[in-house]
Amino acid sequence: MKKVTKIFAVAVMASLAAVACTKSNTTGGNDDNGNNNGGGNEEEGIVIDGQFEDWAALAETDVVAINVLAEASQQALRTLKFHNTEDVLYVYAECDPAIVGTEYDPSRDTYWEDKPAQRPLRFVWDTDNNAETGGYYSITWPNAGFDSLLDVYIYADGGKVKSAWSEFWAFKETSEAGANFVDNIAENEALRDQIVSVANVAGSLVKGWYSVEIAIDKVNFPNLGKTVKVASTLMNQAWAEPGVLPSEEEPVELSL
């Protein structure tokens, strides 16, 4: 049986309002790629600004971190980290800059006509932690029961990673459990840019990779349980998925 990593809820006061605040001074070092170097214990939430010293200040027990396996064929998504607070789930990702597009169109109305290069950093969710509901996602996670999909359309602009928009999709209630997830979802248009707003995505080039941080609004996330499973892919311009995490068949389990 594969090991499942768990995230422990932390007693910190953080909300989307905290995202807009200025970073507070913290103790502890930062190795410039978001890794924890034994930082200080005081933490009031991650600030989404493309700087990562606040990630370094978190205790190891407050972060779930997964890295791509050395033998994995899909390496473009190298690292994922999750940090849970009362209202917000923070995500840190390291993406191959060769995959992140530099041409973008901020308008959904013309996106499919102009065909720019921005593509999603995708998160698929088993929101009820039940493999018997929802659908499977390709051959990577064939045994998961995914219920929701969150696409964050990212692009690079002058060495900074930004978001054009985000979308939320859900498995259709009329679809048969165990069906192909992507073939049986519908977008909830009312939640465009609501679960992840444009302002709540930021990244920068760090040691040759794009480090990206995202704030996910748990309050507006439909049917999000206390224990969920999540997996992520980074798409390229051809809509293939050269980045996949976890590399193994089992998505990562989070306790929210």
Side-chain angles (χ1 to χ4, degrees), residues 100 154-163 201-205 210-212:
V100 180
I154 61 172
Y155 64 94
D157 181 14
K160 303 296 183 182
V161 179
K162 304 176 182 179
S163 172
V201 180
S204 57
L205 193 63
Y210 279 128
S211 294
V212 185

Side-chain angles (χ1 to χ4, degrees), residues 1-254:
M1 180 177 294
K2 299 194 180 289
K3 293 183 179 179
V4 178
T5 312
K6 296 181 179 295
I7 186 172
F8 299 92
V10 295
V12 294
M13 298 300 293
S15 65
L16 284 180
V19 175
C21 296
T22 303
K23 286 184 188 285
S24 59
N25 293 328
T26 57
T27 59
N30 185 356
D31 65 357
D32 292 327
N33 66 1
N35 288 335
N36 188 344
N37 289 339
N41 294 325
E42 294 184 6
E43 184 270 331
E44 296 183 6
I46 302 298
V47 180
I48 305 300
D49 59 0
Q51 303 297 319
F52 308 106
E53 64 268 17
D54 40 14
W55 283 93
L58 297 174
E60 290 185 3
T61 53
D62 292 341
V63 178
V64 166
I66 53 175
N67 298 301
V68 68
L69 296 178
E71 64 272 20
S73 60
Q74 296 155 297
Q75 297 267 347
L77 186 58
R78 185 169 68 174
T79 298
L80 279 177
K81 298 181 182 181
F82 299 91
H83 171 58
N84 184 53
T85 67
E86 183 176 356
D87 296 324
V88 180
L89 177 64
Y90 294 96
V91 181
Y92 168 92
E94 292 181 1
C95 306
D96 186 343
I99 305 303
V100 180
T102 56
E103 298 176 355
Y104 74 98
D105 185 342
S107 172
R108 292 183 182 87
D109 296 332
T110 57
Y111 176 77
W112 296 105
E113 299 174 6
D114 295 343
K115 298 180 180 179
Q118 84 239 30
R119 292 292 183 267
L121 178 56
R122 170 170 289 180
F123 300 91
V124 284
W125 306 81
D126 179 357
T127 55
D128 59 3
N129 193 28
N130 184 353
E132 301 302 318
T133 62
Y136 72 92
Y137 193 92
S138 68
I139 62 173
T140 308
W141 307 291
N143 300 318
F146 290 115
D147 310 295
S148 303
L149 178 150
L150 180 63
D151 271 351
V152 182
Y153 280 75
I154 61 172
Y155 64 94
D157 181 14
K160 303 296 183 182
V161 179
K162 304 176 182 179
S163 172
W165 67 77
S166 67
E167 298 174 350
F168 181 84
W169 299 68
F171 194 74
K172 298 176 183 178
E173 293 183 358
T174 56
S175 296
E176 182 179 355
N180 185 297
F181 175 73
V182 175
D183 291 341
N184 290 275
I185 57 176
E187 184 188 2
N188 186 333
E189 296 185 7
L191 290 177
R192 287 179 176 176
D193 299 323
Q194 298 301 305
I195 297 174
V196 175
S197 69
V198 171
N200 283 335
V201 180
S204 57
L205 193 63
V206 179
K207 296 183 179 180
W209 283 68
Y210 279 128
S211 294
V212 185
E213 53 186 356
I214 300 171
I216 297 175
D217 181 3
K218 292 163 53 180
V219 177
N220 285 323
F221 198 121
N223 304 315
L224 190 65
K226 293 297 184 180
T227 301
V228 304
K229 290 180 179 177
V230 61
S232 182
T233 71
L234 177 64
M235 291 192 161
N236 64 14
Q237 193 168 358
W239 295 96
E241 295 170 317
V244 169
L245 276 178
S247 305
E248 299 171 305
E249 292 183 359
E250 187 71 27
V252 62
E253 185 175 300
L254 308 177

